[in-house]
């Protein structure tokens, strides 16, 4: 359970940082960023980027590295990450994520 809490906290921090970035991301810096989950280099189809001193990492890559299921609902613009009994939901454009149904 502590691993889930760490993952949720990391996810929420990354979402918050991305929201603050306003989409102004510098992809040229991504090649030098090495992100690890449990000591294993994170592989992703979209590389991590540095924006204003913060590293932004794709949510799907983190969740999948932690063994969580990720679902995307195009209609509602909602991403859901689920592992065991823990669920994290985030809607694009909103600043509040829900963990197990609670903001």
């Amino acid at each position: 359970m502590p691993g889930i809490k760490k993952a949720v906290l990391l996810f929420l921090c990354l979402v918050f940082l991305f929201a603050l970035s306003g989409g102004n991301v510098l992809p040229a810096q991504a090649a030098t960023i090495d992100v690890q989950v449990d000591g294993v280099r994170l592989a992703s189809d979209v590389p991590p980027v540095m924006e204003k001193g913060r590293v932004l990492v794709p949510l799907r890559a983190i969740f999948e590295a932690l063994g969580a299921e990720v679902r995307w609902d195009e209609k509602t613009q909602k991403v859901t990450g689920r592992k065991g009994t823990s669920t994290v939901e985030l809607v694009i454009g909103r600043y509040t994520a829900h963990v197990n149904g609670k903001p």
Side-chain angles (χ1 to χ4, degrees):
M1 193 61 147
I4 295 290
K5 289 181 181 180
K6 284 185 202 176
V8 169
L9 179 60
L10 176 62
F11 164 70
L12 294 176
C13 289
L14 292 172
V15 169
F16 181 72
L17 294 175
F18 185 74
L20 288 178
S21 76
N24 186 15
V25 178
L26 303 173
Q29 297 175 357
T32 62
I33 300 171
D34 181 37
V35 178
Q36 295 185 9
V37 175
D38 293 331
V40 178
R41 187 171 190 275
L42 185 67
S44 173
D45 59 340
V46 178
V49 294
M50 177 76 73
E51 169 59 29
K52 297 180 184 176
R54 296 175 176 98
V55 177
L56 307 175
V57 182
L59 168 68
R60 179 174 295 280
I62 293 172
F63 274 19
E64 288 177 350
L66 294 169
E69 173 189 359
V70 181
R71 292 200 176 192
W72 169 250
D73 185 331
E74 182 70 34
K75 183 177 178 182
T76 61
Q77 297 285 289
K78 179 171 73 172
V79 63
T80 303
R82 183 170 294 148
K83 182 174 181 181
T85 59
S86 297
T87 302
V88 177
E89 296 178 325
L90 180 72
V91 178
I92 300 300
R94 295 191 185 164
Y95 293 100
T96 303
H98 287 80
V99 179
N100 295 330
K102 297 179 182 178

